[in-house]
Amino acid sequence: MDIHEYQARELLREHGIPVPPGEVATTSEQAGEIARKYGGRVVIKAQVHAGGRGKAGGVKLADGSAEARKFAEQILALEIKGLPVTKVLVAPAEEIAHEAYLGAVVDRSSGVVVLMASSEGGIDIEEVAAKTPELIYKEQVDPRYGLLAHQASRLGFKLYPGDAGRARQAAGIVRKLYDAMIDAGASLVEINPLVTTPTGELRAIDAKMNIDDNELFRRPQIEELRDSESETPAEVEARDVGLTYIELDGDVGCVVNGAGLAMATMDLVKYYGGQPANFLDIGGSSNPEKVVSALRIITADSAVKSILFNIFGGITRCDDVANGIVEASRQIEVTPPITIRLTGTNEEEAVQILESAGFSAMTDMDEAVRKAVQLAKQHE
Ligand code: GDP
Ligand code: MN
């Protein structure tokens, strides 16, 4: 789950990280009022679940309330990476002498949390990571001991060599960042930039946090931070009915049971020259309603030119899936051609149900994927 910058700032602040104050506005008038209250220069920042807002015109410095109102109006009219901006954060602007980067991720290859720091922070950190990765320092955290003091110090001194005062401040922020990450159940936390003010103080002026969905059930106060308006309607419906759905760029819509089979199906779609439009796992339950929801979600994506069902019946019964497909075709208008492959539990019943409703089904996965890819190409 993504949370907004203003929410992440609050979580970091609660852990004692120096984050400047700020308030959220949904109209330009509110933004103007908040700016008047703070006085002086303020920064207006789009609150959307996307990075690179600065480059997209979503971060602006305003001198006083009138300008804050004008910039807020411009930013509230923006769409950043396809996401409409409905909220802005208004915060007193900081004077910046230096921008550093500080982050932590659950690293899949080493299986532990890795802390990262670079003195080349700011809006070009992706370029630093791509071109000069040696300028990003890393520390792996052993989960048995947690982050050790000397690791935090080392990162602090890598950031500010020869400046013990700032290095110590940074080490404290590193420790608090790690605690904030673990407490929130986050899979990623970033402060970019971590700025140095002209008087040598460190401030976190941007914050990003992704929460691991599997940590949410035991953290209701974090779940409350969810902003459903910032999620696509498809994501919301999928979550409500318990489907795992991830939208992708291709045109072959896939409905599969089981995450492993879903991955294998996507691989095979690519192997035969197609592009999957989504990852969709209807899970191990036998509920025709889930199939109806799955088809509704997939047909709402106008890029989908062909739909592929790939069901390996076990706990998921093929006849339930067949009933779901027939029910969905009654409830919603499905224009793209549907290719169905099912095998396993109650396969014969499923074929009968489908055939009497005018669908056909196959049992060979290769054949079905090839056909679905070919149909997508015909309808391009
Ligand atoms: P991002 O582009 O989405 O990462 O948004 P950021 O919040 O990181 O802002 C982008 C850039 O805007 C920063 O790297 C800063 O250079 C600049 N910026 C943001 N806030 C302030 C501020 O309070 N004062 C000044 N002078 N610059 C700021
Ligand atoms: Mn940033």
Side-chain angles (χ1 to χ4, degrees):
M1 177 180 92
D2 286 327
I3 61 172
H4 288 297
E5 175 195 357
Y6 74 90
Q7 298 168 320
R9 281 165 84 114
E10 188 55 43
L11 293 175
L12 297 186
R13 200 180 282 126
E14 284 168 9
H15 280 84
I17 293 177
V19 179
E23 279 182 43
V24 172
T26 52
T27 65
S28 54
E29 289 72 28
Q30 278 171 4
E33 278 311 306
I34 300 167
R36 188 189 317 280
K37 199 176 74 183
Y38 287 133
R41 218 154 67 117
V42 293
V43 59
I44 317 284
K45 311 179 76 176
Q47 298 297 290
V48 282
H49 294 157
R53 296 162 305 164
K55 285 184 176 166
V59 177
K60 286 203 160 86
L61 292 168
D63 271 313
S65 166
E67 202 170 54
R69 200 162 58 211
K70 187 178 98 192
F71 288 158
E73 193 174 335
Q74 291 171 7
I75 294 175
L76 284 166
L78 285 180
E79 228 180 55
I80 300 179
K81 295 180 184 162
L83 302 164
V85 181
T86 60
K87 297 186 196 81
V88 291
L89 174 70
V90 184
E94 290 290 331
E95 295 275 327
I96 301 180
H98 175 259
E99 301 193 13
Y101 168 91
L102 201 58
V105 287
V106 177
D107 178 51
R108 282 173 186 264
S109 53
S110 53
V112 297
V113 171
V114 173
L115 284 150
M116 297 168 295
S118 177
S119 55
E120 308 293 311
I123 55 176
D124 290 321
I125 191 69
E126 276 82 14
E127 209 175 303
V128 176
K131 293 192 180 146
T132 46
E134 69 278 6
L135 296 179
I136 299 177
Y137 300 102
K138 296 182 178 170
E139 286 286 337
Q140 292 190 352
V141 182
D142 187 322
R144 289 171 297 181
Y145 313 122
L147 178 68
L148 298 173
H150 72 269
Q151 295 185 295
S153 291
R154 190 148 57 210
L155 285 171
F157 277 96
K158 288 286 190 192
L159 279 182
Y160 309 110
D163 185 342
R166 261 200 300 167
R168 265 196 289 275
Q169 276 187 65
I173 293 174
V174 169
R175 282 199 301 272
K176 290 163 185 164
L177 187 76
Y178 177 75
D179 290 344
M181 175 187 205
I182 300 299
D183 282 358
S187 51
L188 174 140
V189 199
E190 280 183 321
I191 300 175
N192 187 34
L194 173 69
V195 302
T196 308
T197 65
T199 53
E201 300 296 315
L202 297 183
R203 299 267 182 277
I205 67 164
D206 187 15
K208 179 176 166 61
M209 256 196 198
N210 291 346
I211 312 293
D212 183 337
D213 288 344
N214 297 310
E215 295 277 3
L216 287 171
F217 78 98
R218 53 180 174 178
R219 290 181 176 80
Q221 75 288 7
I222 301 284
E223 171 76 52
E224 270 172 31
L225 301 178
R226 185 187 292 285
D227 180 1
S228 294
E229 278 174 28
S230 293
E231 297 177 322
T232 65
E235 285 169 334
V236 175
E237 173 163 14
R239 196 179 52 251
D240 285 348
V241 295
L243 296 167
T244 310
Y245 171 78
I246 293 155
E247 194 175 320
L248 302 168
D249 293 333
D251 55 9
V252 181
C254 304
V255 186
V256 188
N257 68 312
L261 186 60
M263 302 283 253
T265 306
M266 288 163 55
D267 279 351
L268 211 54
V269 166
K270 290 213 170 199
Y271 179 78
Y272 285 121
Q275 292 294 335
N278 61 273
F279 171 100
L280 197 156
D281 175 8
I282 60 169
S285 87
S286 262
N287 179 356
E289 266 313 300
K290 272 195 176 180
V291 178
V292 178
S293 288
L295 266 174
R296 194 174 15 246
I297 289 165
I298 285 190
T299 48
D301 177 357
S302 61
V304 172
K305 299 285 180 285
S306 153
I307 297 173
L308 168 68
F309 274 80
N310 186 12
I311 306 298
F312 191 85
I315 296 170
T316 306
R317 287 166 29 191
C318 292
D319 56 330
D320 278 341
V321 175
N323 279 323
I325 295 172
V326 173
E327 183 56 34
S329 66
R330 286 198 193 113
Q331 286 184 23
I332 45 183
E333 197 187 332
V334 184
T335 339
I338 303 182
T339 309
I340 305 164
R341 180 261 179 161
L342 22 86
T343 188
T345 312
N346 294 358
E347 180 183 318
E348 292 82 13
E349 290 88 329
V351 171
Q352 262 172 18
I353 292 164
L354 288 169
E355 283 180 351
S356 56
F359 290 97
S360 61
M362 36 180 96
T363 50
D364 187 83
M365 173 157 157
D366 248 55
E367 205 184 316
V369 173
R370 245 188 343 239
K371 182 171 171 209
V373 169
Q374 189 195 342
L375 285 168
K377 291 208 186 303
Q378 280 169 16
H379 291 80
E380 250 159 24

